[in-house]
Amino acid sequence: MSILQHTEFSILDLVPVRQGSSHKEAMENSLKIARLAEKTGFKRYWIAEHHNTPSLVSSATPLLIQYIAQGTQTIRVGSGGVMLPNHSPLIVAEQFGTLATLYPNRIDLGLGRAPGTDGNTARALRRDREESVEDFPRDVQELRSYLSVQGSHNSVRAIPGEGLDVPVYLLGSSTFSARLAAYLGLPYAFASHFAPRYLYEALRIYRNEFSPSDLQHNPYTIAGVNIVIADTDEEAEYLATTGEQFALQIIRNTRKPLPPPVKDMDSIWSPQEAIQVKLMREYSFVGSPDTVRNKLSHFIEKTGVNEIIVTTYIYDMQAQLHSFELLSELKQKESSL
């Protein structure tokens, strides 16, 4: 049987704003993608928290999760992730407890420890808080306590929230969260779609050190990748220049709305910038269905991950929907062989 057949596919959305479009249109586009994902068999749809970034409108992550969950029926919806240092664990427990009450058995809580923004904005979010290396593990445990059955015995309770045991996932781009996820017996997602350097080391540590928990008996790994599929390799490579420009803006710290594709990236970036973007986007699979099938199958076989979560930056909305349709068809075709 094909390795794609046994791998779950999901979508990670940063709710990008395209040049010439509005914030509301960006959110409406996300709902369109989520509805297509549900229809075509994707497992989950996650939204990532970012702040003070003109190209992204995913700052109020729980509100967008509710918007997506209300507009769909069965697909799991969640955060990829909530940046816990920006928030009180109690507030997060109450927010996701409310979501899990409204949409039972559909809400995921992915947690990260990066600020998801620049230093000035992080200070505005967290005010005068000084974070230590112990804070994130302690906050994760406090948050899980609020959501547990035992939370009803706490002097401070998450209402709604306690007893719901909303599934918690730890996210990371280094080995820190890998060790913590293994210690706590939680599923682990690695941000290899933009920070690929420690992917294999983090997966090795997580699997070797994993301790089963009441909610997770075996290691479960998710890897983020960039995927752009079109009818031909040439068209896909052209569409993918939007994502390359988006990555270039991160390097240059010029966060503008998502730009249209270009014929020649060499006229935009320097040779050094081109290398930086390609390193950042090492795990990007671009091409026709056959091309992506081969590359993606090799990646899954090499990493052994249970799930692929996909980011796709395409300027033309119909082309983006088509890319997700083609990705879904890859798995469906493999299942029928």
Side-chain angles (χ1 to χ4, degrees), residues 191-198 226 247 251 269 271-284:
S192 38
H193 58 293
F194 75 91
R197 181 176 179 183
Y198 296 104
N226 304 288
I251 292 170
W269 57 23
Q272 184 178 6
E273 289 173 333
I275 293 172
Q276 288 179 277
V277 169
K278 293 183 186 303
L279 287 173
M280 180 189 298
R281 292 171 55 84
E282 178 179 357
Y283 299 120
S284 296

Side-chain angles (χ1 to χ4, degrees), residues 2-260:
S2 164
I3 197 166
L4 296 183
Q5 182 180 348
H6 297 285
T7 306
E8 299 286 359
F9 287 0
S10 298
I11 294 175
L12 177 64
D13 186 11
L14 280 64
V15 196
V17 181
R18 292 167 169 81
Q19 283 185 15
S21 68
S22 68
H23 291 175
K24 184 180 180 182
E25 287 173 320
M27 298 176 195
E28 291 172 342
N29 285 338
S30 291
L31 181 56
K32 290 177 184 177
I33 297 170
R35 285 173 170 165
L36 175 71
E38 179 174 79
K39 179 181 177 181
T40 55
F42 285 83
K43 183 176 181 63
R44 66 183 97 241
Y45 195 93
W46 279 3
I47 295 173
E49 175 186 343
H50 289 80
H51 299 275
N52 196 30
T53 305
S55 56
L56 307 172
V57 288
S58 54
S59 55
T61 314
L63 294 179
L64 287 172
I65 290 171
Q66 182 179 13
Y67 173 63
I68 298 298
Q70 188 172 17
T72 53
Q73 298 295 323
T74 58
I75 193 170
R76 300 196 66 86
V77 187
S79 59
V82 162
M83 301 297 108
L84 191 53
N86 295 342
H87 310 281
S88 153
L90 175 60
I91 291 294
V92 177
E94 291 171 339
Q95 290 173 339
F96 279 78
T98 300
L99 288 167
T101 301
L102 290 170
Y103 310 101
N105 302 313
R106 292 186 57 203
I107 301 300
D108 296 329
L109 176 52
L111 298 172
R113 68 186 185 106
T117 188
D118 59 273
N120 287 335
T121 307
R123 284 186 287 274
L125 286 164
R126 294 176 285 179
R127 303 306 180 188
D128 297 326
R129 173 178 177 176
E130 293 184 8
E131 187 181 6
S132 69
V133 70
E134 293 86 12
D135 284 342
F136 182 68
R138 184 169 53 244
D139 286 351
V140 171
Q141 290 288 63
E142 180 182 343
L143 173 53
R144 294 181 71 205
S145 175
Y146 288 133
L147 294 171
S148 69
V149 173
Q150 292 75 22
S152 62
H153 302 298
N154 295 339
S155 59
V156 177
R157 299 161 61 188
I159 303 171
E162 62 185 29
L164 295 181
D165 280 323
V166 178
V168 172
Y169 298 73
L170 288 195
L171 283 56
S173 57
S174 68
T175 58
F176 179 91
S177 291
R179 283 198 163 90
L180 181 59
Y183 174 75
L184 297 176
L186 294 175
Y188 178 59
F190 191 87
S192 38
H193 58 293
F194 75 91
R197 181 176 179 183
Y198 296 104
L199 171 63
Y200 288 97
E201 184 179 359
L203 292 176
R204 178 185 59 79
I205 289 171
Y206 172 71
R207 289 168 178 147
N208 288 345
E209 300 183 9
F210 182 82
S211 297
S213 64
D214 292 341
L215 300 177
Q216 188 69 40
H217 302 301
N218 298 300
Y220 190 89
T221 53
I222 305 173
V225 299
N226 304 288
I227 293 180
V228 175
I229 311 180
D231 295 329
T232 66
D233 288 345
E234 293 74 19
E235 182 184 2
E237 289 164 4
Y238 171 66
L239 295 174
T241 60
T242 290
E244 291 174 339
Q245 292 177 80
F246 180 77
L248 181 61
Q249 290 178 10
I250 295 175
I251 292 170
R252 292 178 175 177
N253 196 28
T254 55
R255 312 295 179 89
K256 300 177 182 178
L258 212 60

